[in-house]
Amino acid sequence: MTTVLTPASPLTAADRCDRCGAQAYLRVVLASGGELLFCAHHGRKFEPELKKIAVEIQDESGRLTTASATVPDDER
């Protein structure tokens, strides 16, 4: 059986962590076709177990450090 995955759309502020409700930075695609969303904290916490069940992990947590580096100090 061949599974074709369509490119995932970027996560937005409307995407929320399934564990705590914070902004999601990780999308975990499951073999069943479902997906889980996690904030950076919970993504790191559950990473070992998620890797066992994931078909794909979309990790956008790098935006956290990139965003703070590009925001002027007076806007932080």
Side-chain angles (χ1 to χ4, degrees), residues 17-59:
C17 176
D18 290 329
R19 184 75 174 138
C20 69
Q23 183 174 346
Y25 288 94
L26 281 91
R27 174 181 284 127
V28 180
V29 180
L30 307 173
S32 64
E35 68 179 26
L36 299 170
L37 300 175
F38 291 100
C39 64
H41 165 78
H42 285 112
R44 283 189 303 274
K45 181 177 179 178
F46 299 123
E47 181 180 19
E49 295 302 314
L50 292 172
K51 285 184 173 182
K52 294 177 186 177
I53 62 170
V55 173
E56 178 184 356
I57 297 178
Q58 176 184 350
D59 184 350

Side-chain angles (χ1 to χ4, degrees), residues 1-29:
M1 178 175 164
T2 303
T3 303
V4 177
L5 297 175
T6 57
S9 58
L11 294 166
T12 68
D15 294 309
R16 310 311 287 179
C17 176
D18 290 329
R19 184 75 174 138
C20 69
Q23 183 174 346
Y25 288 94
L26 281 91
R27 174 181 284 127
V28 180
V29 180

